[in-house]
Amino acid sequence: MAILNSLFTWIMKKRIHQIELFMKYPHDVQEEWFKNLIPTAEATEWGKKFDYKSIYTVADYKARVPISDYDDIKGYIDRMIKGEQNILWPSDIKWFAKSSGTTSDRSKFIPVSMEALEECHYQGGKDMLSIYCNNKPDNHMFAGKSVVIGGSPQNKNFSPHSYYGDLSSILIRNLPFWAEFKRTPNIEVTLNPNFEEKIEQIAQITIKEDVTSLAGVPTWNIVMAKRILEITGKNNLLEIWPNLQFYGHGGVSFKPYREQFKKLIPSDNMYYLENYNASEGYFGLQDRSDSDDLLLMLDYGIYYEFLPTENMDDEHPQTLSLDEVEIGKNYALIISTNAGLWRYKIGDTIKFTSLSPYRFQISGRTKQYINTFGEEVIVDNADQALEIACKETNAEIRDYTAGPVYFQGNNAGAHEWIIEFEKVPSNFGHFCEILDRSLREINSDYDAKRYKNMALADPIVHSAPSGIFYNWMKSKGKLGGQNKVPRLANNREYLEQLLEMIRK
């Protein structure tokens, strides 16, 4: 096993040189991908519609092709699902990733080409391991097995040749055969559509294995870990898996989960690496252990544009290219990909923390924010304020969501929070005060609206009963995979649903 581990580590580290090249020459790499994507799609229906043959520059492209969201291209995707090809991308597309970014009943089906699988999603997964091996050359991860908490496949008869499912299930279903040797449990268990049954099976099987690494959304890994501890009667995962050393996570901010994982895996040698992998593409990796910033991955078949959030509602919004962005500003991410998404607004916002190389943080969602009163609170603000409140009151958060309380008569509005604690605050009232104070310090717009309670009164904070978010997600069929609790909303839909469950 030691020889096999050394061989895997050597292969992974070879990729580091290529990563260093795009870090050094980012604009050349992006220009190269732009010049590759446009000609490739010339003969598609989309390429003919916008005359890709006569697009020679990025300026031509921006002037010719409009920014789009899912509603704009849904008609094209519906036809692809029914079996039509050469619509948005020239190669055959048979897989569609079912978007699960919110608990909305409405589903999106994102096309996943073989090029996107190989050049983007799988390359991102391999690069995550390459970065780990480069940063921890003495690792022994490949001597053991990996546990991945993914989604489940759902085949539907759109056509005899098209399938859909959670992105993670698509990736697992299409992995090369040799990848099975280093993963546990087998693919049938991993893709079990019954999430609770799957967690039980994974727990029973993996406690007998030498697990060295974990992967997946933190929420569901914690569910698995707690079940394993219940079964075994152990205090932490290292008592079951003494060689556990790596966790690759993504999907949600890790801040609310950090303290829980420290208790589940009490080791200073445990290595955590965040990835930014969405249904639409693999965008970023945490390449340094001493920073939460993500490195923008520039050679995955994606051409990037960045739309300043303050210009999102403009009639003809103007995007910026990579060489025009600034540190600290919020941008909506616009992508053109090797799966046929063209100037597509994915709904995430980021802010750059470095321009050499290009590193960034995910700051929120274009549709996950509270701006009912002009306060412009985004998920990043909420995560920071909650982290401060937890630290000062010795609390730990399992999940949360928040939304507005509207004006009523002469009463000011407010923000209402529902928080499920892993460890309740030492002083709940003090926790609420710190949350409000920290948010005021982080966000000047929120602070202005809170001035003398004129527009916003003190926040209303509920400490929710244990399991409330799990049961809420279960009621919507949103357990497992990349499903996640929506953190903020500009309406009361989620709040009312959760409050109704709390009252029962």
Side-chain angles (χ1 to χ4, degrees):
M1 282 296 181
I3 295 175
L4 184 61
N5 185 76
S6 298
L7 177 62
F8 270 108
T9 299
W10 177 76
I11 292 172
M12 293 301 174
K13 288 181 67 175
K14 287 184 66 178
R15 167 65 176 158
I16 295 299
H17 175 64
Q18 295 171 307
I19 293 175
E20 290 172 343
L21 281 177
F22 79 62
M23 291 168 69
K24 188 175 182 180
Y25 304 106
H27 308 128
D28 293 340
V29 171
Q30 277 288 277
E31 181 71 16
E32 183 178 337
W33 269 111
F34 173 76
K35 291 181 177 178
N36 175 285
L37 290 169
I38 298 300
T40 301
E42 281 181 359
T44 64
E45 181 176 319
W46 182 274
K48 292 177 180 177
K49 177 179 179 179
F50 293 101
D51 194 16
Y52 273 26
K53 282 187 177 181
S54 66
I55 292 178
Y56 302 109
T57 68
V58 172
D60 293 341
Y61 182 55
K62 291 182 179 182
R64 183 89 47 87
V65 181
I67 293 173
S68 62
D69 59 20
Y70 189 79
D71 287 339
D72 297 318
I73 61 172
K74 183 178 183 298
Y76 295 97
I77 292 176
D78 287 345
R79 291 166 55 199
M80 294 163 66
I81 286 172
K82 293 174 183 176
E84 289 190 56
Q85 299 294 344
N86 204 36
I87 304 295
L88 297 175
W89 187 250
S91 64
D92 285 358
I93 295 179
K94 300 179 180 180
W95 286 95
F96 297 84
K98 185 178 179 182
S99 174
S100 52
T102 73
T103 54
S104 169
D105 290 331
R106 184 181 179 199
S107 298
K108 299 178 182 179
F109 298 94
I110 305 300
V112 182
S113 67
M114 288 307 299
E115 291 88 344
L117 277 175
E118 295 291 339
E119 298 171 354
C120 185
H121 294 289
Y122 286 151
Q123 187 60 58
K126 289 186 285 188
D127 282 354
M128 180 174 66
L129 299 179
S130 296
I131 288 170
Y132 172 62
C133 291
N134 185 66
N135 292 353
K136 294 280 288 185
D138 58 344
N139 79 86
H140 300 285
M141 183 178 72
F142 299 109
K145 293 194 174 182
S146 176
V147 177
V148 180
I149 307 295
S152 302
Q154 293 174 290
N155 298 339
K156 204 164 186 177
N157 294 324
F158 290 128
S159 78
H161 306 292
S162 66
Y163 313 92
Y164 77 84
D166 180 280
L167 174 67
S168 59
S169 73
I170 293 174
L171 299 181
I172 291 169
R173 176 67 71 185
N174 289 280
L175 280 171
F177 75 92
W178 54 262
E180 280 294 296
F181 293 121
K182 303 307 297 178
R183 199 170 51 75
T184 184
N186 62 36
I187 193 169
E188 285 75 19
V189 172
T190 303
L191 297 181
N192 185 340
N194 185 318
F195 177 76
E196 293 175 308
E197 184 179 282
K198 173 166 65 177
I199 287 294
E200 184 67 23
Q201 291 174 332
I202 290 175
Q204 296 287 351
I205 292 169
T206 59
I207 57 177
K208 304 169 187 174
E209 300 277 8
D210 179 21
V211 173
T212 55
S213 65
L214 305 173
V217 177
T219 314
W220 311 124
N221 273 268
I222 286 176
V223 171
M224 175 197 69
K226 289 185 174 181
R227 180 56 187 147
I228 286 174
L229 296 183
E230 286 176 2
I231 293 171
T232 61
K234 302 296 185 181
N235 295 313
N236 62 70
L237 292 180
L238 293 179
E239 294 180 10
I240 304 155
W241 301 323
N243 297 314
L244 183 61
Q245 57 194 264
F246 175 76
Y247 176 34
H249 59 88
V252 296
S253 170
F254 196 57
K255 290 177 183 177
Y257 302 97
R258 196 181 306 277
E259 293 304 316
Q260 293 181 64
F261 273 92
K262 284 182 180 179
K263 290 183 178 180
L264 290 169
I265 312 168
S267 170
D268 293 335
N269 294 321
M270 185 67 185
Y271 196 101
Y272 298 91
L273 194 156
E274 183 173 358
N275 66 77
Y276 178 16
N277 189 19
S279 299
E280 297 86 354
Y282 206 122
F283 309 124
L285 279 168
Q286 181 184 356
D287 65 321
R288 302 176 299 175
S289 60
D290 60 348
S291 172
D292 292 336
D293 299 347
L294 302 176
L295 179 68
L296 187 65
M297 307 306 286
L298 299 173
D299 63 348
Y300 286 1
I302 300 171
Y303 180 75
Y304 294 99
E305 298 174 62
F306 307 91
L307 176 59
T309 53
E310 63 267 25
N311 302 131
M312 283 175 50
D313 295 329
D314 291 356
E315 185 176 354
H316 300 290
Q318 299 299 308
T319 62
L320 305 178
S321 297
L322 188 62
D323 59 347
E324 299 174 298
V325 299
E326 300 178 38
I327 289 176
K329 290 194 172 183
N330 277 306
Y331 298 103
L333 200 56
I334 311 296
I335 58 172
S336 298
T337 77
N338 53 5
L341 300 177
W342 302 106
R343 305 199 75 204
Y344 184 82
K345 182 168 60 178
I346 68 170
D348 289 342
T349 61
I350 69 169
K351 61 180 179 182
F352 285 96
T353 56
S354 167
L355 303 183
S356 183
Y358 285 95
R359 292 193 177 97
F360 67 96
Q361 294 177 347
I362 303 168
S363 54
R365 297 277 298 172
T366 57
K367 294 183 179 179
Q368 280 198 43
Y369 57 86
I370 308 177
N371 194 35
T372 307
F373 310 98
E375 65 272 48
E376 298 186 9
V377 172
I378 59 176
V379 174
D380 184 56
N381 300 157
D383 283 345
Q384 288 186 54
L386 287 167
E387 186 175 31
I388 295 168
C390 283
K391 188 174 294 185
E392 293 196 26
T393 61
N394 197 28
E396 295 175 18
I397 289 175
R398 186 178 297 170
D399 263 314
Y400 77 89
T401 195
V405 176
Y406 303 123
F407 290 132
Q408 291 184 353
N410 295 324
N411 295 329
H415 286 181
E416 189 165 9
W417 300 71
I418 298 176
I419 302 175
E420 182 180 342
F421 290 97
E422 180 71 18
K423 181 179 180 182
V424 297
S426 55
N427 184 317
F428 185 73
H430 189 43
F431 175 91
C432 299
E433 291 172 3
I434 297 170
L435 171 61
D436 181 47
R437 183 193 70 204
S438 301
L439 200 53
R440 294 184 71 164
E441 292 172 354
I442 292 165
N443 185 315
S444 59
D445 290 312
Y446 176 80
D447 183 47
K449 304 304 181 295
R450 286 284 290 115
Y451 179 70
K452 293 186 177 181
N453 290 358
M454 293 178 65
L456 284 175
D458 292 339
I460 301 167
V461 184
H462 304 276
S463 180
S466 179
I468 190 72
F469 282 100
Y470 181 92
N471 292 329
W472 181 52
M473 296 288 278
K474 181 181 178 180
S475 72
K476 293 181 170 295
K478 295 288 186 178
L479 291 179
Q482 292 176 297
N483 297 299
K484 41 195 175 284
V485 172
R487 297 308 193 194
L488 304 178
N490 210 33
N491 57 61
R492 293 187 56 81
E493 178 184 356
Y494 306 138
L495 286 175
E496 295 297 344
Q497 293 172 5
L498 283 158
L499 288 171
E500 182 63 26
M501 292 179 68
I502 292 171
R503 295 186 194 107
K504 290 181 178 179

Coordinates of all heavy atoms in Angstrom, one line a residue, residues 345-397:
K345 N -25.6 33.4 -16.1 CA -25.6 34.0 -14.8 C -26.0 32.8 -13.8 O -27.1 32.5 -13.8 CB -26.5 35.2 -14.6 CG -26.5 35.8 -13.3 CD -27.2 37.2 -13.3 CE -28.6 37.1 -13.7 NZ -29.3 38.3 -13.7
I346 N -25.0 32.3 -13.0 CA -25.3 31.1 -12.3 C -26.0 31.4 -10.9 O -26.5 30.5 -10.3 CB -24.0 30.3 -12.0 CG1 -23.1 31.0 -11.1 CG2 -23.3 29.9 -13.3 CD1 -21.9 30.2 -10.6
G347 N -25.9 32.7 -10.5 CA -26.6 33.1 -9.3 C -25.8 33.2 -8.1 O -26.2 33.6 -7.0
D348 N -24.5 33.0 -8.2 CA -23.5 33.2 -7.1 C -22.8 34.6 -7.2 O -22.6 35.1 -8.3 CB -22.5 32.1 -7.1 CG -23.0 30.8 -6.7 OD1 -24.1 30.8 -6.1 OD2 -22.4 29.7 -6.9
T349 N -22.4 35.1 -6.1 CA -21.6 36.3 -6.1 C -20.3 36.0 -5.4 O -20.2 35.2 -4.4 CB -22.3 37.5 -5.3 OG1 -22.6 37.1 -4.0 CG2 -23.6 37.8 -6.0
I350 N -19.2 36.6 -5.9 CA -17.9 36.4 -5.3 C -17.2 37.8 -5.1 O -17.7 38.8 -5.7 CB -17.0 35.5 -6.2 CG1 -16.6 36.3 -7.5 CG2 -17.7 34.2 -6.5 CD1 -15.6 35.5 -8.3
K351 N -16.2 37.8 -4.3 CA -15.3 39.0 -4.2 C -13.9 38.6 -4.2 O -13.5 37.6 -3.5 CB -15.7 39.8 -2.9 CG -15.5 39.1 -1.6 CD -15.9 40.0 -0.5 CE -15.7 39.3 0.9 NZ -16.1 40.1 2.0
F352 N -13.1 39.3 -4.9 CA -11.7 38.9 -5.0 C -10.9 39.4 -3.8 O -11.1 40.5 -3.3 CB -11.0 39.5 -6.3 CG -11.5 38.7 -7.6 CD1 -12.5 39.1 -8.3 CD2 -10.8 37.6 -7.9 CE1 -12.9 38.4 -9.5 CE2 -11.2 36.8 -9.0 CZ -12.2 37.3 -9.8
T353 N -10.0 38.6 -3.4 CA -9.1 38.9 -2.3 C -7.7 39.1 -2.7 O -6.8 39.6 -2.0 CB -9.1 37.8 -1.2 OG1 -8.8 36.5 -1.8 CG2 -10.5 37.7 -0.6
S354 N -7.4 38.6 -4.0 CA -6.0 38.7 -4.5 C -6.2 38.7 -6.1 O -7.1 38.1 -6.6 CB -5.2 37.6 -4.1 OG -4.0 37.5 -4.9
L355 N -5.3 39.5 -6.7 CA -5.3 39.6 -8.2 C -4.1 38.9 -8.8 O -3.9 38.9 -10.0 CB -5.4 41.0 -8.7 CG -6.6 41.8 -8.1 CD1 -6.7 43.2 -8.8 CD2 -8.0 41.1 -8.5
S356 N -3.2 38.5 -8.0 CA -1.9 37.8 -8.5 C -1.5 36.8 -7.4 O -0.6 37.2 -6.6 CB -0.9 38.9 -8.8 OG 0.3 38.2 -9.3
P357 N -2.0 35.6 -7.5 CA -2.9 35.0 -8.4 C -4.3 35.5 -8.1 O -4.5 36.1 -7.0 CB -2.7 33.5 -8.3 CG -2.4 33.4 -6.9 CD -1.5 34.5 -6.5
Y358 N -5.3 35.0 -8.9 CA -6.7 35.4 -8.7 C -7.3 34.5 -7.6 O -7.6 33.3 -7.9 CB -7.5 35.4 -10.0 CG -7.2 36.5 -10.9 CD1 -6.2 36.4 -11.9 CD2 -7.8 37.8 -10.7 CE1 -5.9 37.5 -12.7 CE2 -7.5 38.9 -11.5 CZ -6.6 38.7 -12.5 OH -6.3 39.8 -13.3
R359 N -7.5 35.0 -6.4 CA -8.2 34.3 -5.4 C -9.4 35.0 -4.9 O -9.4 36.3 -5.0 CB -7.2 34.0 -4.2 CG -6.1 33.1 -4.5 CD -5.4 32.7 -3.2 NE -4.3 31.7 -3.4 CZ -3.0 32.1 -3.5 NH1 -2.6 33.3 -3.4 NH2 -2.1 31.1 -3.8
F360 N -10.4 34.3 -4.4 CA -11.7 34.9 -4.1 C -12.4 34.2 -3.0 O -11.9 33.2 -2.5 CB -12.6 34.9 -5.4 CG -13.0 33.5 -5.8 CD1 -14.2 33.0 -5.4 CD2 -12.2 32.7 -6.6 CE1 -14.6 31.7 -5.8 CE2 -12.5 31.4 -6.9 CZ -13.8 30.9 -6.5
Q361 N -13.4 34.8 -2.5 CA -14.3 34.2 -1.6 C -15.8 34.3 -2.1 O -16.1 35.2 -2.8 CB -14.3 35.0 -0.2 CG -13.0 34.9 0.5 CD -13.0 35.7 1.8 OE1 -13.8 36.5 2.0 NE2 -11.9 35.5 2.6
I362 N -16.5 33.3 -1.8 CA -18.0 33.3 -2.2 C -18.7 34.2 -1.2 O -18.6 33.9 0.0 CB -18.5 31.8 -2.2 CG1 -17.7 30.9 -3.1 CG2 -20.0 31.9 -2.6 CD1 -18.0 29.4 -2.9
S363 N -19.3 35.2 -1.8 CA -20.0 36.2 -0.9 C -21.5 36.0 -0.7 O -22.1 36.5 0.2 CB -19.7 37.6 -1.4 OG -20.0 37.8 -2.7
G364 N -22.1 35.2 -1.6 CA -23.5 34.9 -1.4 C -24.2 34.5 -2.7 O -23.5 34.0 -3.7
R365 N -25.4 34.7 -2.8 CA -26.2 34.3 -4.0 C -27.0 35.6 -4.4 O -27.3 36.4 -3.6 CB -27.3 33.3 -3.6 CG -26.8 31.9 -3.2 CD -26.4 31.1 -4.3 NE -27.6 30.8 -5.1 CZ -27.5 30.1 -6.3 NH1 -26.3 29.8 -6.8 NH2 -28.6 29.9 -7.0
T366 N -27.2 35.7 -5.7 CA -27.9 36.9 -6.2 C -29.3 36.8 -5.8 O -30.0 37.9 -5.8 CB -27.9 36.9 -7.8 OG1 -28.4 35.7 -8.3 CG2 -26.4 37.0 -8.3
K367 N -29.8 35.7 -5.4 CA -31.2 35.6 -4.9 C -31.3 35.2 -3.4 O -32.3 34.9 -2.9 CB -32.0 34.5 -5.8 CG -32.1 35.0 -7.2 CD -33.0 34.0 -8.0 CE -33.1 34.5 -9.5 NZ -33.9 33.6 -10.3
Q368 N -30.1 35.1 -2.8 CA -30.1 34.8 -1.3 C -29.6 36.0 -0.6 O -28.4 36.2 -0.5 CB -29.3 33.6 -1.0 CG -30.1 32.3 -1.2 CD -29.5 31.1 -0.4 OE1 -29.1 31.2 0.7 NE2 -29.4 30.0 -1.1
Y369 N -30.4 36.9 -0.2 CA -30.0 38.2 0.4 C -31.3 38.7 1.1 O -32.4 38.3 0.8 CB -29.4 39.2 -0.6 CG -30.4 39.5 -1.7 CD1 -31.4 40.5 -1.6 CD2 -30.3 38.8 -2.9 CE1 -32.2 40.8 -2.6 CE2 -31.2 39.1 -4.0 CZ -32.2 40.1 -3.8 OH -33.0 40.4 -4.8
I370 N -31.1 39.7 1.9 CA -32.2 40.5 2.5 C -32.0 41.9 2.1 O -31.0 42.5 2.6 CB -32.3 40.3 4.0 CG1 -32.3 38.8 4.4 CG2 -33.6 41.0 4.5 CD1 -32.4 38.6 5.9
N371 N -32.9 42.5 1.4 CA -32.7 43.9 1.0 C -34.1 44.5 0.9 O -34.4 45.4 0.1 CB -32.1 44.0 -0.4 CG -31.6 45.4 -0.7 OD1 -31.2 46.1 0.2 ND2 -31.7 45.8 -2.0
T372 N -35.0 44.1 1.9 CA -36.3 44.6 1.9 C -36.3 46.1 2.3 O -37.2 46.9 1.9 CB -37.1 43.9 3.0 OG1 -37.0 42.5 2.7 CG2 -38.6 44.3 3.0
F373 N -35.4 46.6 3.0 CA -35.3 47.9 3.5 C -34.1 48.7 3.0 O -33.7 49.7 3.6 CB -35.4 47.9 5.1 CG -36.5 47.1 5.6 CD1 -36.2 45.8 6.1 CD2 -37.8 47.5 5.7 CE1 -37.2 45.0 6.6 CE2 -38.8 46.7 6.2 CZ -38.5 45.5 6.6
G374 N -33.4 48.2 2.0 CA -32.2 48.8 1.5 C -31.0 48.4 2.3 O -29.9 49.1 2.1
E375 N -31.0 47.4 3.1 CA -29.9 47.0 3.9 C -28.8 46.1 3.2 O -27.7 46.0 3.7 CB -30.4 46.3 5.2 CG -31.0 44.9 5.0 CD -32.5 45.0 4.7 OE1 -32.9 45.9 3.9 OE2 -33.3 44.3 5.3
E376 N -29.2 45.5 2.1 CA -28.3 44.7 1.3 C -27.4 43.7 2.1 O -26.2 43.7 1.9 CB -27.4 45.7 0.5 CG -28.2 46.6 -0.5 CD -27.3 47.4 -1.4 OE1 -26.1 47.2 -1.4 OE2 -27.9 48.3 -2.1
V377 N -28.1 42.9 2.9 CA -27.3 41.9 3.7 C -27.2 40.7 2.8 O -28.2 40.1 2.3 CB -28.1 41.6 5.0 CG1 -27.4 40.4 5.7 CG2 -28.1 42.8 5.9
I378 N -26.0 40.2 2.7 CA -25.7 39.0 1.9 C -25.2 37.9 2.8 O -24.9 38.1 4.0 CB -24.6 39.3 0.8 CG1 -23.3 39.8 1.4 CG2 -25.2 40.3 -0.2 CD1 -22.2 39.9 0.4
V379 N -25.1 36.7 2.3 CA -24.8 35.5 3.1 C -23.5 35.7 3.8 O -23.3 35.3 5.0 CB -24.8 34.2 2.2 CG1 -24.4 33.0 3.1 CG2 -26.2 34.0 1.7
D380 N -22.5 36.2 3.1 CA -21.2 36.4 3.7 C -21.2 37.3 5.0 O -20.6 37.0 6.0 CB -20.2 37.1 2.7 CG -18.8 37.2 3.2 OD1 -18.2 36.2 3.6 OD2 -18.3 38.4 3.2
N381 N -22.1 38.3 4.9 CA -22.3 39.2 6.1 C -22.8 38.3 7.3 O -22.4 38.4 8.4 CB -23.2 40.3 5.8 CG -22.8 41.2 4.7 OD1 -23.7 41.9 4.1 ND2 -21.5 41.3 4.4
A382 N -23.8 37.6 7.0 CA -24.5 36.7 8.0 C -23.5 35.7 8.6 O -23.5 35.6 9.8 CB -25.7 36.0 7.4
D383 N -22.8 35.1 7.8 CA -21.8 34.1 8.3 C -20.8 34.7 9.2 O -20.4 34.1 10.2 CB -21.1 33.4 7.1 CG -22.0 32.3 6.4 OD1 -23.0 31.9 7.0 OD2 -21.6 31.9 5.3
Q384 N -20.3 35.9 8.8 CA -19.3 36.5 9.6 C -19.9 36.9 11.0 O -19.2 36.7 12.0 CB -18.7 37.8 8.9 CG -17.8 37.5 7.7 CD -17.3 38.8 7.2 OE1 -16.7 39.6 7.9 NE2 -17.4 39.0 5.9
A385 N -21.0 37.5 11.0 CA -21.6 38.0 12.2 C -22.0 36.8 13.1 O -21.8 36.9 14.4 CB -22.9 38.8 11.9
L386 N -22.5 35.7 12.6 CA -22.8 34.6 13.4 C -21.5 33.9 14.0 O -21.5 33.5 15.1 CB -23.5 33.5 12.6 CG -25.0 33.9 12.2 CD1 -25.5 32.9 11.2 CD2 -25.8 33.8 13.5
E387 N -20.4 33.9 13.2 CA -19.2 33.4 13.7 C -18.7 34.2 14.9 O -18.2 33.6 15.9 CB -18.1 33.4 12.6 CG -16.8 32.7 13.0 CD -15.8 32.7 11.8 OE1 -15.9 33.6 11.0 OE2 -15.0 31.7 11.8
I388 N -18.8 35.5 14.9 CA -18.4 36.3 16.0 C -19.3 36.1 17.2 O -18.8 35.9 18.3 CB -18.4 37.8 15.6 CG1 -17.4 38.1 14.5 CG2 -18.2 38.7 16.8 CD1 -17.6 39.5 13.8
A389 N -20.6 36.0 17.0 CA -21.5 35.8 18.1 C -21.3 34.4 18.7 O -21.3 34.3 20.0 CB -22.9 35.9 17.6
C390 N -21.0 33.4 17.9 CA -20.7 32.1 18.5 C -19.4 32.1 19.3 O -19.4 31.5 20.4 CB -20.6 31.1 17.4 SG -22.2 30.6 16.7
K391 N -18.4 32.8 18.8 CA -17.1 32.8 19.5 C -17.2 33.5 20.9 O -16.7 33.0 21.9 CB -16.1 33.5 18.7 CG -14.7 33.4 19.2 CD -13.7 34.0 18.2 CE -13.6 33.2 16.9 NZ -12.6 33.7 16.0
E392 N -18.0 34.6 20.9 CA -18.1 35.3 22.2 C -19.1 34.7 23.2 O -19.1 35.1 24.3 CB -18.5 36.8 21.9 CG -17.5 37.6 21.1 CD -17.7 39.0 21.1 OE1 -18.4 39.5 22.1 OE2 -17.3 39.7 20.2
T393 N -19.9 33.8 22.8 CA -20.9 33.2 23.7 C -20.7 31.6 23.8 O -21.6 31.0 24.3 CB -22.3 33.5 23.3 OG1 -22.6 32.9 21.9 CG2 -22.6 35.0 23.3
N394 N -19.6 31.2 23.2 CA -19.3 29.7 23.3 C -20.4 28.9 22.7 O -20.8 27.9 23.3 CB -19.0 29.3 24.7 CG -18.3 28.0 24.8 OD1 -17.5 27.6 23.9 ND2 -18.5 27.3 25.9
A395 N -20.9 29.3 21.6 CA -22.0 28.6 20.9 C -21.5 27.9 19.6 O -20.5 28.3 19.1 CB -23.2 29.6 20.6
E396 N -22.3 27.0 19.1 CA -22.1 26.3 17.8 C -23.4 26.2 17.1 O -24.4 25.9 17.7 CB -21.5 25.0 18.0 CG -20.1 25.0 18.6 CD -19.6 23.5 18.9 OE1 -20.2 22.6 18.3 OE2 -18.7 23.4 19.7
I397 N -23.4 26.6 15.8 CA -24.6 26.5 15.0 C -24.6 25.3 14.1 O -23.6 25.0 13.4 CB -24.7 27.9 14.2 CG1 -25.0 29.0 15.1 CG2 -25.8 27.7 13.1 CD1 -25.0 30.4 14.4

